Amino acid sequence: MLLRVGLARSARLRGGAVPLSLPLARRLSFEPPPPPDPEWTDTVEYLDETGALLSSAPGARPAVPGADPTILSGGSAHPLPRPAAAARIAALALRHRSGAPLSAALSALPSAPDAALLLLAASSLPASDPVPLTSLIAWARLQPWFVPSDDLSSLLAARLPPATHSSELLALFDDTLALPDPTAFPKTLNAVVSALATHGLLEPAFYCFKRLRDAGFKGLETPAYNALLSLLLTRGLAFKAFEVLDEMATSGCALDEGTYELAVPALARAGRIDAARKMFDEMKKREGIGRAPAGVYSVMVDVLAKAGRLDAAMGMYREMVAVGHRVSTAVSTAMVEGLVRSGKLDAGMELWEEMRRGGLRPSFGLYTMVVEANARSGRLDIAAKLFGDMEKAGFFPTPGTYACLLEMHASAGQADAAMRLYHSMANSGTRPGLSTFTALLTMLANKSMLDLAAKVLLEMKASGFPIEVTASDLLMIYIRDGSTDLALRWLRFMGSAGIRTNNFIIRQLFESCMKTGLYDSARPLLETYVAGAAKVDLILYTSILAHLVRCQDENNERAIMDILSASKHKAHDFMCGLFTGPEQRKQPVLSFVREFFQGIDYDNEESAARYFVNVLLNYLVLMGQMNRARCVWKVAYENKLFAKAIVFDQHIAWSLDVRSLSVGAALVATVHTLHRFRKRMLYYGVVPRRIKLVTGPTLKMVVAQVLASLESPFEVSKVVLRAPGDSVLEWFKKPIVQQFLLNEIPSKADVLMHRLNVMFPSSAPEVRSLSIPRSLGMSR
């Protein structure tokens, strides 16, 4: 049977355009609904196949699909199936898509669809094209029978592409949240947040999340949270992700495997290792998840190793292997690096071998680190083997790896291996760095391989590095080692190559030449030092004079005198004037000495002046110039260079302290001071209880032997010569003592010069090292 239904309304059909956008539909939804349709008035005629009239009825009411029998099958009437009615609505939406035709067609339906039928029709529309769906829902929202539905709204939110319909999604979110009971629409709100977060719309997604959190909505589900977490972590906003994670825990939302896979690595990478481990343990205990993914294990091992928690990292590593995960190269690399960097090289190498046996191919970075770690630990054989394996594996060593190996071989003094690496670097086109050149040259200098060092130094210059400082450092190595001949050869090479050194090193080499007796080489060095605008200070001049004091060869004495003259120091003019007669000086010795000492800067050269006085008095005593020596001592004491040498304690004790003096200075100070004591006792009548000569163990025998030849009353103890004041007074009255103290018999060998040359120390520079403080001695 064919069914032909003529439908007409007594009122006008509702027509007009159907809004396509949700904002417009929302605006129209606030208009008053149209009046209800009147009853149907047309006659319904039922015809057979030939067109003959079977029956008719005056009018009809709207037919509800699935309830009212409107289809005849033979002699019985059946209702229209609801899927067919939904398909009819969907077909209209697909045919007209939007606008007035769609609105007219939908309004002409025999009966208004209910919410379930509308949802069925909307669900059958294709998901790829959201226009029919939005048009259908826009028409439905204008109808008086429309009731908002969570299923329909969530379907719309899931079908709308956020890239082009983000405003529609936000409008749907606002409408839903503005409803009296938004908690009845959990699927819609979840769908909006998930859609925005899944498609990378961070600001709208997080805005919706904050709105829901502020509204106290607790219905967000795990997929929505996961999508938002993934988006925030992808954008590097870990602190915001943790905020979402805290809200997830507060709302009581269950965590699934995806949440753990996102949260555990994020917490670990953010440094919240304890929280990550706690969540990781919780993940393993959660039913339905099974074993943790390999990626989570990898991140935990890497973070724990880099944080220095090597025991925990190794435990996680072993657990990862035990549960059946294949350990990646990155994980093994992290473990080996952590062990090596923490100083556990043996454990690191054991894991390295285990990794190699497991078939994993080490990375370039891991090879580099292991080679350098073994080299720095002194395991040069292992480092060299690994270096060869690295080249065989196809990895080209970096300049840093070359430099590390070369520098370690150089530090160990392995010249052959270091030079092989140096040539290998050159052949591979790798340019050595400044530290590499310096280490290699230092080794060659320590090995006294001067010619090879010169060749490498010139190659260093050709590479563009400054070489003046390095060349001077090598020269200092030869000087400190006492290899004066090599130092002089290296200095000649530097001169031929146009390399200049500084005055400090010239002075050091000069002093080294003086110590070894190379006076012919020392004089040109001093002349170079003076020509280089360097000042020969009193310390340097005095050290040359000390060499003259202990010199025993006449030719060497002449050479040293020439060196003293080349110094051009004012002390040399003083020395020359001191040994001339009063006719040439035009003034007495004492005045001449006072004038010289008045020109000394005692604030800066006080210690140097004491050193000069000690050495000068040694020289004057050896030369038999006792009168001049006493003048020098008197002026030095007047200028308070030895302020605490003489102590007068009224009638109790008088003392002389010569412990800080040289041999000659001690003898002169003893004679001069005893003369002062004699005058005070005989002319002023002051007699102390005792007199002490504090000599120390070094000068005790020298002073004692000189005084013993005069039958002095002084008794010798460990470090002091002492005598009662009365006994000394009687001794002072002897004519020979009077003559001795007045310096009338300075040349008698049995009184003053008895075995004086034997008693002098054989090395004057030791006196210098004892007399000069470090602050002045090292001011160069």
Side-chain angles (χ1 to χ4, degrees):
M1 296 293 293
L2 297 177
L3 174 63
R4 183 178 64 184
V5 181
L7 299 176
R9 295 174 185 259
S10 59
R12 61 179 179 84
L13 291 174
R14 284 181 300 169
V18 177
L20 300 180
S21 65
L22 287 178
L24 180 58
R26 189 163 55 252
R27 288 196 299 270
L28 294 178
S29 64
F30 293 104
E31 298 176 359
D37 292 335
E39 290 293 332
W40 296 92
T41 57
D42 286 353
T43 300
V44 179
E45 297 178 346
Y46 296 94
L47 307 177
D48 60 8
E49 295 177 356
T50 62
L53 180 65
L54 291 176
S55 64
S56 62
R61 60 178 177 78
V64 179
D68 297 327
T70 55
I71 300 177
L72 291 179
S73 176
S76 61
H78 299 279
L80 178 68
R82 292 180 65 83
R88 173 62 178 166
I89 296 173
L92 291 175
L94 289 172
R95 181 188 308 166
H96 300 288
R97 293 178 63 83
S98 63
L102 176 62
S103 179
L106 292 174
S107 299
L109 290 173
S111 63
D114 55 18
L117 190 62
L118 183 61
L119 177 61
L120 187 60
S123 301
S124 63
L125 290 173
S128 59
D129 186 7
V131 175
L133 177 62
T134 56
S135 300
L136 178 61
I137 295 178
W139 168 82
R141 294 189 63 172
L142 299 176
Q143 309 307 313
W145 48 264
F146 179 77
V147 177
S149 168
D150 187 29
D151 293 330
L152 188 61
S153 299
S154 62
L155 176 65
L156 179 61
R159 293 284 182 89
L160 286 176
T164 55
H165 292 73
S166 59
S167 59
E168 284 84 348
L169 280 172
L170 289 175
L172 178 62
F173 179 83
D174 292 339
D175 286 347
T176 306
L177 204 59
L179 291 173
D181 186 14
T183 57
F185 291 81
K187 292 194 292 185
T188 303
L189 299 176
N190 275 278
V192 172
V193 174
S194 297
L196 293 172
T198 303
H199 289 80
L201 301 177
L202 176 59
E203 294 182 3
F206 198 73
Y207 165 77
C208 294
F209 165 75
K210 288 182 64 179
R211 288 277 306 276
L212 293 175
R213 183 184 61 185
D214 296 341
F217 180 74
K218 304 297 183 181
L220 269 184
E221 298 176 353
T222 305
Y225 277 116
N226 288 350
L228 195 55
L229 283 172
S230 178
L231 177 60
L232 290 169
L233 293 174
T234 303
R235 299 293 178 85
L237 301 173
F239 63 101
K240 289 292 183 184
F242 299 150
E243 184 180 335
V244 173
L245 192 62
D246 293 340
E247 179 63 23
M248 189 176 182
T250 304
S251 64
C253 181
L255 281 64
D256 63 359
E257 185 174 0
T259 311
Y260 286 114
E261 290 183 13
L262 290 170
V264 173
L267 288 169
R269 292 192 181 101
R272 298 171 60 176
I273 301 177
D274 293 333
R277 293 192 64 184
K278 180 179 179 182
M279 186 169 283
F280 181 77
D281 295 338
E282 179 184 332
M283 175 185 181
K284 292 189 295 183
K285 296 176 182 177
R286 185 65 61 87
E287 294 183 4
I289 292 181
R291 65 180 184 177
V296 178
Y297 272 112
S298 300
V299 172
M300 291 298 296
V301 172
D302 181 69
V303 170
L304 287 169
K306 290 179 179 177
R309 301 186 181 185
L310 296 177
D311 294 337
M314 183 59 74
M316 193 73 70
Y317 177 85
R318 297 300 182 192
E319 181 182 331
M320 181 179 180
V321 175
V323 298
H325 287 305
R326 177 176 173 81
V327 180
S328 64
T329 303
V331 175
S332 299
T333 300
M335 277 305 308
V336 175
E337 287 182 355
L339 291 169
V340 171
R341 286 199 179 101
S342 64
K344 298 181 179 180
L345 185 57
D346 293 334
M349 292 306 299
E350 181 180 348
L351 190 59
W352 163 275
E353 294 298 334
E354 180 181 328
M355 181 180 72
R356 295 291 301 274
R357 289 193 298 269
L360 291 177
R361 184 172 182 263
S363 63
F364 169 73
L366 187 57
Y367 256 124
T368 301
M369 187 203 64
V370 173
V371 170
E372 294 181 5
N374 280 279
R376 291 192 180 97
S377 299
R379 304 179 180 185
L380 297 179
D381 295 338
I382 299 176
K385 179 181 180 300
L386 291 171
F387 183 77
D389 295 341
M390 179 180 179
E391 290 183 318
K392 292 177 183 177
F395 295 123
F396 188 77
T398 63
T401 305
Y402 270 120
C404 180
L405 277 175
L406 196 154
E407 291 171 15
M408 292 301 106
H409 279 92
S411 299
Q414 299 180 6
D416 294 339
M419 288 306 299
R420 279 198 302 270
L421 283 168
Y422 174 73
H423 292 308
S424 177
M425 288 184 74
N427 294 334
S428 65
T430 303
R431 175 187 173 188
L434 180 60
S435 61
T436 305
F437 271 119
T438 303
L440 183 60
L441 288 168
T442 303
M443 179 204 65
L444 294 174
N446 289 327
K447 292 286 185 180
S448 300
M449 304 173 74
L450 189 144
D451 296 334
L452 190 55
K455 177 178 179 294
V456 174
L457 186 69
L458 294 178
E459 292 175 355
M460 178 181 175
K461 181 180 180 180
S463 297
F465 292 107
I467 60 174
E468 287 77 9
V469 175
T470 304
S472 298
D473 290 343
L474 299 187
L475 182 58
M476 279 301 300
I477 291 176
Y478 294 127
I479 294 172
R480 290 194 187 101
D481 290 346
S483 305
T484 309
D485 293 336
L486 290 177
L488 292 171
R489 283 181 57 194
W490 185 257
L491 185 63
R492 287 193 292 271
F493 159 72
M494 290 175 63
S496 64
I499 306 171
R500 299 184 60 184
T501 188
N502 55 60
N503 288 326
F504 170 77
I505 296 179
I506 293 294
R507 177 169 177 166
Q508 295 293 317
L509 183 56
F510 165 76
E511 293 179 356
S512 179
C513 289
M514 293 295 294
K515 286 182 181 179
T516 54
L518 299 176
Y519 303 118
D520 294 337
S521 300
R523 180 174 179 177
L525 289 172
L526 185 62
E527 292 173 347
T528 303
Y529 183 75
V530 174
K535 179 183 177 182
V536 176
D537 54 18
L538 189 57
I539 291 177
L540 181 59
Y541 181 85
T542 308
S543 67
I544 303 172
L545 182 61
H547 287 284
L548 180 63
V549 170
R550 72 172 182 265
C551 182
Q552 300 292 331
D553 184 80
E554 184 178 352
N555 293 329
N556 289 340
E557 286 183 355
R558 291 195 184 97
I560 296 175
M561 290 298 295
D562 291 340
I563 294 172
L564 287 170
S565 177
S567 68
K568 297 182 181 180
H569 195 275
K570 62 181 180 180
H572 188 66
D573 298 333
F574 168 71
M575 287 281 295
C576 294
L578 193 62
F579 281 91
T580 58
E583 297 81 7
Q584 289 83 0
R585 282 196 309 267
K586 308 297 183 182
Q587 61 185 133
V589 174
L590 187 60
S591 300
F592 182 70
V593 174
R594 282 174 175 161
E595 181 179 333
F596 170 74
F597 277 90
Q598 286 174 358
I600 296 177
D601 182 6
Y602 289 98
D603 291 336
N604 298 322
E605 296 184 316
E606 181 177 354
S607 297
R610 280 198 291 267
Y611 177 36
F612 176 70
V613 170
N614 274 309
V615 176
L616 177 60
L617 290 178
N618 264 349
Y619 183 62
L620 291 175
V621 170
L622 285 176
M623 297 297 293
Q625 302 296 321
M626 196 64 186
N627 183 45
R628 291 178 171 86
R630 293 180 67 168
C631 290
V632 171
W633 169 258
K634 181 177 182 180
V635 174
Y637 185 77
E638 289 174 355
N639 286 275
K640 299 181 179 180
L641 289 177
F642 306 97
K644 297 181 180 180
I646 303 175
V647 177
F648 291 103
D649 191 4
Q650 298 300 329
H651 298 280
I652 300 176
W654 296 350
S655 65
L656 169 66
D657 191 343
V658 297
R659 287 176 295 181
S660 62
L661 303 180
S662 64
V663 175
L667 293 175
V668 174
T670 300
V671 173
H672 182 78
T673 304
L674 288 176
H675 176 61
R676 290 186 62 188
F677 288 173
R678 178 179 177 276
K679 287 177 62 177
R680 185 176 287 253
M681 295 172 71
L682 294 178
Y683 291 103
Y684 301 107
V686 180
V687 180
R689 296 179 185 176
R690 59 185 179 276
I691 294 178
K692 295 191 300 182
L693 301 178
V694 184
T695 60
T698 305
L699 299 173
K700 177 178 62 176
M701 296 309 300
V702 177
V703 177
Q705 287 186 14
V706 172
L707 297 179
S709 62
L710 300 173
E711 299 178 354
S712 71
F714 288 94
E715 297 178 357
V716 181
S717 64
K718 291 183 178 180
V719 293
V720 178
L721 279 71
R722 59 167 55 90
D726 297 338
S727 301
V728 175
L729 177 62
E730 296 298 325
W731 181 64
F732 281 156
K733 294 177 181 179
K734 293 182 179 180
I736 189 172
V737 176
Q738 179 181 359
Q739 292 177 348
F740 171 72
L741 296 179
L742 292 176
N743 198 24
E744 294 178 357
I745 49 174
S747 59
K748 285 187 178 181
D750 59 341
V751 177
L752 179 63
M753 301 297 291
H754 178 63
R755 299 184 64 189
L756 198 56
N757 290 326
V758 178
M759 285 184 278
F760 268 93
S762 61
S763 177
E766 275 67 22
V767 177
R768 167 188 168 183
S769 64
L770 291 172
S771 303
I772 298 182
R774 184 175 181 84
S775 59
L776 285 177
M778 299 303 293
S779 63
R780 306 186 296 275

